[in-house]
Amino acid sequence: MTTIHDEWCAPSSSFQPSSSPPPPPPQSNSSGRIKPTNRRIITLPLLRKRSEHNEGLVSSLEELALHQEELQSIGPILGRTCGKTLKILLLQNNVIDRMVPSELKLFRSLEYLNLALNNITKVEGIGGMEWLRKLDLTLNFIDVDTLKESVDELSECRSLEELFLIGNPCMGLDDGGGIPGAATAAEDAAAPPSSTQKQIGWNGCHAYIVARLPTIQFLDGKEIKKSERILAMQQLPGLILELHSLAEARKKERHLQNQTRPNNDECDIDDELAIDETYISDDAPTHHNPETRTKISNELYDQKQAKEKQETANHVPKPKGEKEWEEEHRDTVQKVREREDELGRERESNIINTDGNKKEAGGFKQCNQGKYHFWFEDDSKVNGDGKQKSGTLIMRVAIPKHLSTSLIDVDIHPTYVSIVVKSKILRVILPVEVLSDQGVARRSASSGYLELVMPKVNPNEVVIGLGHVRDRNNNNAKKETEGPGKEGCTTKGSFAQKKRERLGQSIMKEAGKVHSLNIVQNQASGGLNPVLNNCDDDSDQDEPPPLC
């Protein structure tokens, strides 16, 4: 690989192939199904799209709304970009199934977190949020088997004042959000008998949370009174024992459901093999569980993507910037070099001389994708004895003057040259064999042309037989900065001019060197010029006289 020296211009940046990490293994949920690895997370373009109120500045965001974006996880990008300044984060109506501690530990200044209408089953990762004042977990899936761990995590938030847990399986729906034993006698008489109503959740959940979290002032939008807190503290020992028994029963029930679910799935697969598990079928019943909400979200996300693709199909594509061009150029260089190395190894293993030595010969296909003009020059130094002391082959390529040198990559081999200019390949077989390790590549500051100086292996070898090759020693008076089109025309034009000169000399010789003004009959001499005599003799013929 030959680098471009800083003799005339800035050097080109060296290319380092990027090694991509192997893809992570697929994850499986509690039901044994494999989750897709391409989870929908918060990306930087999405942040910039949602930060229009802050003039597109992501690093100084204080409030961010990302509701109804069909997100499956928060991801690490949000915390790294604006985790130190973000105070309000709205993530309601998504399908986030877990509060990952590694993603939430970077939000040190967060005061309000809204995770309503998600698939969260356990509160975790918010113990380090010292300034968190309000947390909304409405309509999630926190059950009694994870309630103790969730409340333990919430107890570490010293500034938490408002908490919303309504709509979760752990909250009782038939207690009206009050403390057991705090209802009046009239309310007890008016309430229907418990035997006729199916109990959902745990009636003591409200009192348990009030007793365990002394800092909260509002629970599910209702202010907690001092009498309710005192009564909840008195009932706390019994509530702990009741919660433990309910949690054990719920774990056993969930374990039995996980064991029977694969058998049901096998039956469904045998009946309908064409059902896509990412979507919910039209005939299947819709239940309120994380799996069903995820399938509905997948379908909505695909519909949004198809709509955006259709809207942007007729839009004019944005022009590529410098960063995009450099990335495309690096990818092209890596592919080209890998392909050339592979062809070189195959050629060395297949082409062998009669002496048994390996010989590097032509086998690469020449190409000029960018239609760049190029030409060769033979620069040879001669001793006093008339013998060539050293020979150098110079190749010049007409590259645009203002093209960045970082978009040029040169690779010189003994028999060919491979140049990648802005993702366009220029591969040329050299007329003579050169010393590739001593080659030099540089650019002209005035014209921007690329010049490759390559010493010959055999200085006495003469470059002949190519129309785009010229001898530099015979054209020292010409400037090196002339364009390739002029120089190519000079070679062909000189040959045509010499041919016309030889033709004119032959005509003058046949005419006896007649003066150009002697075009009529010489009355004094009484005769005509031989050429004119031939014309008079052939006056009856339509064909012109011979030129030579």
Side-chain angles (χ1 to χ4, degrees), residues 305-317:
Q305 293 295 318
K307 184 178 180 180
E308 292 179 0
K309 185 177 180 180
Q310 185 178 3
E311 291 177 353
T312 59
N314 299 327
H315 290 182
V316 179

Side-chain angles (χ1 to χ4, degrees), residues 378-381 388-393 454-460:
D378 189 3
D379 185 12
S380 301
K381 297 180 181 180
Q388 291 187 359
K389 181 179 179 181
S390 62
T392 304
L393 181 65
M454 301 166 285
K456 298 179 185 178
V457 175
N458 184 10
N460 298 325

Side-chain angles (χ1 to χ4, degrees), residues 303-356:
Q303 291 177 0
K304 290 181 181 179
Q305 293 295 318
K307 184 178 180 180
E308 292 179 0
K309 185 177 180 180
Q310 185 178 3
E311 291 177 353
T312 59
N314 299 327
H315 290 182
V316 179
K318 295 183 180 179
K320 295 182 181 179
E322 184 178 357
K323 184 177 180 181
E324 289 77 9
W325 278 116
E326 289 181 356
E327 291 178 355
E328 183 180 353
H329 176 73
R330 283 194 292 266
D331 296 340
T332 304
V333 169
Q334 183 180 8
K335 293 179 182 178
V336 171
R337 299 297 176 246
E338 290 177 355
R339 178 59 178 168
E340 290 177 353
D341 293 343
E342 182 180 356
L343 292 176
R345 288 191 296 268
E346 293 179 358
R347 185 179 56 202
E348 289 179 359
S349 60
N350 295 332
I351 301 178
I352 301 176
N353 276 341
T354 56
D355 299 335

Side-chain angles (χ1 to χ4, degrees), residues 386-403:
K387 297 181 179 180
Q388 291 187 359
K389 181 179 179 181
S390 62
T392 304
L393 181 65
I394 300 177
M395 177 181 176
R396 284 190 174 89
V397 185
I399 295 176
K401 179 179 179 180
H402 300 287
L403 180 65

Side-chain angles (χ1 to χ4, degrees), residues 63-135:
E63 181 178 355
L64 183 62
L66 295 172
H67 53 278
Q68 296 181 355
E69 292 292 341
E70 313 302 333
L71 299 173
Q72 293 179 332
S73 180
I74 297 177
I77 299 177
L78 180 60
R80 295 173 183 175
T81 53
C82 54
K84 296 181 179 180
T85 60
L86 198 62
K87 295 182 179 180
I88 299 175
L89 180 58
L90 307 178
L91 294 171
Q92 66 269 22
N93 203 358
N94 288 288
V95 286
I96 300 174
D97 55 358
R98 186 189 174 193
M99 302 170 63
V100 183
S102 60
E103 299 174 356
L104 296 175
K105 67 179 182 180
L106 302 175
F107 299 97
R108 297 296 183 182
S109 303
L110 198 63
E111 297 180 3
Y112 175 34
L113 178 60
N114 192 336
L115 289 170
L117 286 168
N118 281 279
N119 296 345
I120 296 174
T121 58
K122 180 181 177 181
V123 179
E124 53 185 344
I126 62 173
M129 298 182 183
E130 299 178 357
W131 304 101
L132 186 64
R133 296 177 55 255
K134 184 176 180 180
L135 178 61

Side-chain angles (χ1 to χ4, degrees), residues 139-174:
L139 285 176
N140 278 274
F141 297 93
I142 302 175
D143 211 339
V144 291
D145 55 344
T146 59
L147 180 61
K148 182 179 182 302
E149 292 83 357
S150 301
V151 175
D152 292 340
E153 186 73 18
L154 292 172
S155 62
E156 298 180 7
C157 300
R158 297 176 296 180
S159 303
L160 186 62
E161 296 179 358
E162 296 184 44
L163 178 64
F164 291 86
L165 286 175
I166 189 172
N168 286 271
C170 62
M171 300 295 292
L173 300 182
D174 57 346

